[in-house]
Amino acid sequence: MRRINPLPFAMALTAALAAAGCGGDAVGVPRAARSAPEPVDRSIASYLDRTLPKGPGGTVVAARGTELVHCKGFGLADRTAGTPATCDTVHDVMSITKQFTAAAIMKLEMMGRLRTTDRIGTILGPVPADKRGITLHHLLTHTAGLAEGLGDDYEPVSRDEMLAKALKSKLVSRPGEEFHYSNTGFSVLAAIVEKVSGTSYERFLAKYLFAPAGMTRTGYVLPKFSRSEVSVEYDEDGASQGRPFDHPWAADGPYWYLRGNGGMLSTGRDMFKWHRALLGDTILSAAAKAKMFEPHARIPKTEAAYGYGWGVLHTKDGRVAWHNGGNDWSFASYSRILHDGTMVYWVTNQASQAGQWNLEERELEMNQALADRARDAD
């Protein structure tokens, strides 16, 4: 299964910034989504009407600091049922999941349970000689040298099986020497969260990250999503690929080639709440956030770097933190301009239509346009 990494966006974002100097009562919409207001910015709505092709469904969110400027669906979340997408439609956020995993590690460090400088062997037990130098910092910054992936996302692999295969795998570079985007590394981090905390990865996130942020509709299985509120995904021919949990999942979420590095389900409203929480110090301290958004590892062939679960880019206006995610069908992008608190998040349940359009290729344009309009919103 194809996975998206942030490198193409980093390259485009670098070039562009350098040059730049309501839900109704439709059948199938969950009651909670129908009753919650959907803020709409007219400038953003007009831009999206001109920009988005006919066919895909999704959600667009824009915020200015703690103010939710726009949170609105477009198209259909389920074409067969005729269910419109809304601010509260549940989507797979894909590799944006990595920032939650990174935040969990930072939370455990705040709790005194680990340090990002710890070698993985101190937590996982004896590891092969070539991996003894790998630290949590290396995993968080994609510099551990682990391969991008170990197998198909939906292969029924347990945590311990994933760890065994990761530790036996051949390194693509020596620990700490080079940046190599690695989904495997973030699955290892999720396993470390479990071993250190003594609870499951999702339960740790739910208790220490999501609940304090007011995020009640984010997780794998704990929110108990109904089918009607979860978006169906579509391939480039418009054929249904079902909902994320229609693929092989364990009882407690995706199997371990996907867990921790992707597959998290969330709504646009909850992704705004995550942004709002990161503006304050309730979940993560200022020191923890400073480490998370520090440009630790340069991404090759770009002016961007990688922090802890976020891409980071210096601009004339300050630091931009971002990540995108995708699979063979959907695509999502999340961007935060740190100096003024502008946030943009959008997700689509069909990334492209063969020979006609490709929303992944419009990521930079959309992020820039949405951010500019969020700043100008009255």
Side-chain angles (χ1 to χ4, degrees), residues 99-131:
Q99 61 193 249
F100 300 137
T101 303
I105 294 294
M106 300 312 298
K107 190 69 175 181
L108 285 167
E109 185 170 59
M110 288 173 58
M111 297 164 68
R113 304 291 296 276
L114 53 70
R115 296 176 298 177
T116 57
T117 54
D118 287 343
R119 296 189 177 193
I120 61 173
T122 64
I123 299 168
L124 300 178
V127 299
D130 63 335
K131 300 176 181 68

Side-chain angles (χ1 to χ4, degrees), residues 94-300:
M94 296 160 282
S95 281
I96 295 172
T97 302
K98 291 179 175 66
Q99 61 193 249
F100 300 137
T101 303
I105 294 294
M106 300 312 298
K107 190 69 175 181
L108 285 167
E109 185 170 59
M110 288 173 58
M111 297 164 68
R113 304 291 296 276
L114 53 70
R115 296 176 298 177
T116 57
T117 54
D118 287 343
R119 296 189 177 193
I120 61 173
T122 64
I123 299 168
L124 300 178
V127 299
D130 63 335
K131 300 176 181 68
R132 289 174 189 165
I134 295 176
T135 66
L136 303 188
H137 172 86
H138 294 146
L139 295 174
L140 288 162
T141 57
H142 298 293
T143 59
L146 292 174
E148 180 177 357
L150 298 172
D152 186 84
D153 287 350
Y154 304 117
E155 189 175 335
V157 173
S158 70
R159 184 191 73 185
D160 290 346
E161 288 171 333
M162 177 277 296
L163 284 173
K165 190 166 182 179
L167 293 175
K168 290 179 181 177
S169 66
K170 182 178 179 180
L171 293 179
V172 296
S173 62
R174 290 169 57 88
E177 286 192 352
E178 298 177 7
F179 178 95
H180 292 283
Y181 191 80
S182 176
N183 290 304
T184 301
F186 272 77
S187 289
V188 173
L189 285 168
I192 286 171
V193 169
E194 292 197 346
K195 286 181 173 289
V196 172
S197 70
T199 190
S200 76
Y201 167 76
E202 185 186 4
R203 288 190 181 280
F204 184 87
L205 267 59
K207 180 176 180 179
Y208 292 100
L209 304 182
F210 300 153
M215 299 165 65
T216 61
R217 310 306 292 157
T218 301
Y220 287 138
V221 299
L222 293 181
K224 300 188 184 305
F225 300 116
S226 67
R227 291 187 63 82
S228 63
E229 63 185 323
V230 181
S231 181
V232 176
E233 297 180 296
Y234 298 88
D235 67 17
E236 64 176 5
D237 295 317
S240 171
Q241 301 301 311
R243 295 169 170 85
F245 43 63
D246 290 336
H247 303 282
W249 267 31
D252 59 348
Y255 289 107
W256 276 87
Y257 286 162
L258 181 59
R259 193 172 306 202
N261 71 70
M264 193 66 66
L265 306 180
S266 189
T267 68
R269 201 181 305 273
D270 260 23
M271 294 303 287
F272 162 70
K273 292 177 180 178
W274 177 239
H275 161 73
R276 186 177 61 189
L278 291 175
L279 292 173
D281 299 336
T282 301
I283 296 175
L284 295 179
S285 66
K289 289 184 294 181
K291 287 181 69 172
M292 192 162 65
F293 296 125
E294 180 70 20
H296 295 290
R298 177 62 60 86
I299 300 175

